[in-house]
Amino acid sequence: MIYFILTVIFLIIIGIITNVLNIRKWSDNYNFIYEYREKFSKFISDLMNKDKYNAKEYEWLMSNSDKIQIILGDSGIMLYRDSRGHYPNYEVVINFMNEVLSLKAKGLIEYEGDQITWCHNCFLRKMGIIDEYRKNEIRRLFNPIYDLTSGIKAILGSPLDILFSVGLISSKSLSKVKDSVLFKLCSGIISILTFLSVIITIVIGWNQFIEIVKNLINIK
């Protein structure tokens, strides 16, 4: 019994560590979005009002456009239509940054207010989502059941993390599997069974519980 309880405590500790690291990760993402948004705003302001831009700022924005797009996730994707066609998964920031200097050279940047607004809206939406996530995670941080579930998720997901670390799966595939209903369902069921086992072990003892189950199903 003592080994079982120690295992549960270990999983809870793993869960707490995992949750703390997740909060820190999302805080870093929030800060990066804020930094990108500030530099993006200054770059666009200089481009439109001063008719010039800082090359280093442009290089920074371009080199980090894929990173910001990954962090934005679904918040940075929209349904887009223009005269050239229909784009159901239009990546707002990447596409705008790829075209911004060409638009300026053609004298069309002043007419792209919608795309600039879309970028700002993507930043604000994701910052709001992250802020709400952080508040909820901090409130649940010392909930043992939640931490137990997080610990079990971390153990179940460790093979996927190993595959990602050696480059066999992408970050998108990793997130897709971990966010899937099946993965959450499996970890939830295991958490419930583990929690019930803890109660049974503490209240009546595991051996006695097994005997009760055998009597109920008539096993000698």
Side-chain angles (χ1 to χ4, degrees):
M1 183 179 76
I2 186 66
Y3 293 111
F4 176 73
I5 294 176
L6 288 175
T7 300
V8 172
I9 294 173
F10 172 76
L11 288 172
I12 290 174
I13 293 173
I14 291 295
I16 292 174
I17 294 172
T18 300
N19 292 332
V20 170
L21 292 176
N22 284 338
I23 292 171
R24 182 174 178 178
K25 172 189 172 184
W26 284 108
S27 294
D28 290 341
N29 287 345
Y30 183 97
N31 293 334
F32 183 78
I33 295 172
Y34 181 86
E35 181 183 10
Y36 196 98
R37 176 171 167 259
E38 290 297 303
K39 291 186 176 183
F40 178 86
S41 298
K42 184 178 183 303
F43 173 77
I44 294 299
S45 177
D46 289 346
L47 200 62
M48 296 181 70
N49 300 324
K50 300 179 182 179
D51 200 30
K52 64 178 183 179
Y53 68 93
N54 184 297
K56 288 187 177 180
E57 288 181 356
Y58 172 73
E59 289 173 3
W60 189 91
L61 290 168
M62 276 300 299
S63 62
N64 286 285
S65 59
D66 285 281
K67 179 179 178 179
I68 192 70
Q69 194 69 57
I70 291 172
I71 292 174
L72 291 174
D74 291 340
S75 298
I77 297 174
M78 63 176 288
L79 173 64
Y80 179 66
R81 293 186 181 92
D82 65 7
S83 58
R84 293 170 293 181
H86 173 246
Y87 310 93
N89 294 302
Y90 185 79
E91 296 179 317
V92 177
V93 178
I94 286 179
N95 281 286
F96 179 72
M97 288 305 303
N98 284 339
E99 297 178 3
V100 64
L101 293 187
S102 175
L103 291 169
K104 181 60 181 176
K106 295 175 182 177
L108 300 175
I109 187 67
E110 288 79 7
Y111 301 98
E112 294 300 327
D114 285 345
Q115 289 206 50
I116 296 170
T117 300
W118 295 341
C119 290
H120 280 293
N121 288 344
C122 290
F123 301 145
L124 293 174
R125 284 180 59 205
K126 192 63 178 185
M127 289 170 72
I129 291 171
I130 292 176
D131 193 47
E132 186 66 22
Y133 169 85
R134 289 189 302 182
K135 290 177 183 177
N136 291 334
E137 286 298 294
I138 291 171
R139 280 198 298 265
R140 295 185 293 193
L141 187 58
F142 296 104
N143 180 332
I145 299 176
Y146 182 72
D147 291 328
L148 176 62
T149 302
S150 298
I152 291 172
K153 283 182 180 179
I155 298 299
L156 291 177
S158 57
L160 297 172
D161 294 326
I162 293 172
L163 292 176
F164 170 71
S165 66
V166 298
L168 293 179
I169 61 174
S170 66
S171 59
K172 287 186 178 180
S173 298
L174 180 65
S175 299
K176 186 176 181 180
V177 173
K178 288 190 174 183
D179 292 336
S180 67
V181 175
L182 181 60
F183 184 83
K184 291 179 179 179
L185 182 63
C186 289
S187 58
I189 291 173
I190 294 173
S191 300
I192 292 172
L193 293 176
T194 304
F195 182 69
L196 291 175
S197 298
V198 171
I199 295 176
I200 291 167
T201 302
I202 294 173
V203 175
I204 63 175
W206 187 254
N207 291 333
Q208 186 176 349
F209 174 72
I210 295 297
E211 291 299 321
I212 293 173
V213 173
K214 285 182 177 180
N215 291 332
L216 287 174
I217 59 178
N218 295 319
I219 295 179
K220 300 298 183 182

